[in-house]
């Protein structure tokens, strides 16, 4: 059902002992999909490699297993797509497409700064789904940095206001799983 997950990673494959800062019970509760039924959001924050996308995908797979529609898209792709629709004057139609999945996973918010048009398109998307459909968002930027990300502090707080009103925030502060072997081998301090 239109999922487009970048890979298949399950909660079973997630090693919670490597990331003791994550409360396993919270993730289990999210896996019940109550948040999707409530049109609430989940935000995974943290540096690269700590498992944000893995957890987002795993919850996406739980949603699919529960018969809920899921769509996964990296933020840069979303912006590109909405911008094209905007230029071709079919933004309303395109926006409605993004309202269809019960769960929209927006990956990697914060890797690229948004110009004013892009920032506005992201605001419109978040506003459209607000209290209508769930989102999972992953970001390497703390909320305090979103003003910079959006190039507009007022717009950033309008986005955050809607995004966070009904939300579960999972802050991951641990080490990169990608680098763990290298750390063991002493390549990194
Ligand atoms: P992020 O999105 O935070 O940059 P990813 O979720 O893509 O990081 O994780 C990087 C890689 O490490 C992926 O292959 C992921 O499956 C794996 N990974 C990360 N954390 C864990 C973990 N705690 N247990 C098992 N695999 C993990
Ligand atoms: Mg990622």
């Amino acid at each position: 059902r239109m999922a487009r997950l970048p890979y298949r990673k399950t909660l079973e494959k997630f090693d919670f002992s490597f990331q003791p800062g994550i409360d396993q019970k919270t993730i289990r509760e999210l896996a019940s999909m109550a948040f999707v039924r409530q049109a609430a959001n989940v935000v995974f924050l943290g540096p690269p490699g700590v498992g944000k996308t893995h957890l987002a995908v795993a919850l996406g797979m739980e949603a699919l297993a529960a018969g809920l529609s899921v769509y996964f898209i990296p933020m840069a792709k979303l912006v590109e797509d909405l911008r094209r629709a905007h230029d071709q004057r079919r933004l309303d139609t395109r926006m409605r497409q993004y309202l269809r999945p019960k769960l929209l996973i927006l990956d990697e918010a914060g890797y690229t700064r948004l110009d004013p048009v892009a920032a506005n398109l992201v605001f419109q998307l978040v506003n459209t789904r607000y209290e209508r459909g769930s989102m999972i968002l992953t970001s390497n930027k703390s909320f305090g940095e979103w003003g910079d990300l959006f190039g507009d502090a007022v717009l950033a707080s309008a986005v955050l206001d809607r995004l966070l009103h009904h939300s579960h925030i999972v802050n991951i502060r641990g080490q990169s799983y990608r680098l763990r072997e290298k750390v063991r081998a002493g390549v990194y301090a």
Side-chain angles (χ1 to χ4, degrees), residues 71-87:
Y71 190 74
F72 178 104
I73 188 165
M75 180 72 130
K77 276 245 161 74
L78 171 90
V79 165
E80 190 187 303
D81 183 56
L82 290 180
R83 194 194 299 277
R84 191 180 316 114
H86 174 257
D87 290 347

Side-chain angles (χ1 to χ4, degrees), residues 7 9 13-19 22 46-55 107-108 111 138 172 175-178 180:
Y7 50 57
K9 292 275 169 85
K13 284 211 196 109
F14 195 82
D15 179 3
F16 284 92
S17 69
F18 184 78
Q19 218 60 265
I22 300 178
V50 293
K52 302 183 297 298
T53 302
H54 184 138
L55 289 171
D107 197 31
E108 299 190 341
Y111 280 97
T138 81
I172 315 177
Q175 277 188 350
S176 168
Y177 194 83
R178 290 190 188 104
R180 76 196 189 289

Side-chain angles (χ1 to χ4, degrees), residues 9-189:
K9 292 275 169 85
T10 57
L11 284 181
E12 285 63 44
K13 284 211 196 109
F14 195 82
D15 179 3
F16 284 92
S17 69
F18 184 78
Q19 218 60 265
I22 300 178
D23 180 22
Q24 194 167 342
K25 197 169 140 264
T26 303
I27 305 296
R28 297 277 159 213
E29 272 164 25
L30 293 174
S32 77
M33 293 297 127
F35 82 96
V36 176
R37 295 188 176 93
Q38 293 155 7
N41 301 318
V42 178
V43 184
F44 291 111
L45 296 176
V50 293
K52 302 183 297 298
T53 302
H54 184 138
L55 289 171
V57 166
L59 290 177
M61 289 181 66
E62 295 288 335
L64 290 172
L68 301 164
S69 51
V70 178
Y71 190 74
F72 178 104
I73 188 165
M75 180 72 130
K77 276 245 161 74
L78 171 90
V79 165
E80 190 187 303
D81 183 56
L82 290 180
R83 194 194 299 277
R84 191 180 316 114
H86 174 257
D87 290 347
Q88 296 173 354
R89 307 196 182 284
R90 46 178 189 82
L91 185 61
D92 286 355
T93 318
R94 201 70 199 121
M95 227 24 123
R96 258 179 269 127
Q97 297 291 313
Y98 284 106
L99 197 52
R100 273 172 52 194
K102 287 277 181 210
L103 174 61
L104 179 67
I105 304 176
L106 255 183
D107 197 31
E108 299 190 341
Y111 280 97
T112 44
R113 284 185 68 167
L114 305 171
D115 63 57
V117 171
N120 195 272
L121 290 168
V122 172
F123 168 75
Q124 285 189 56
L125 176 84
V126 170
N127 195 34
T128 300
R129 284 191 69 92
Y130 175 62
E131 295 189 330
R132 292 201 195 115
S134 281
M135 283 191 286
I136 297 180
L137 195 134
T138 81
S139 182
N140 62 332
K141 293 277 193 304
S142 65
F143 296 132
E145 295 171 286
W146 280 43
D148 264 353
L149 179 63
F150 279 78
D152 180 334
V154 175
L155 191 62
S157 52
V159 170
L160 287 174
D161 194 58
R162 287 156 181 80
L163 191 68
L164 303 183
H165 182 193
H166 311 287
S167 68
H168 307 266
I169 297 158
V170 181
N171 231 312
I172 315 177
R173 298 166 199 282
Q175 277 188 350
S176 168
Y177 194 83
R178 290 190 188 104
L179 298 181
R180 76 196 189 289
E181 243 86 59
K182 311 226 162 41
V183 170
R184 273 192 212 131
V187 177
Y188 291 84

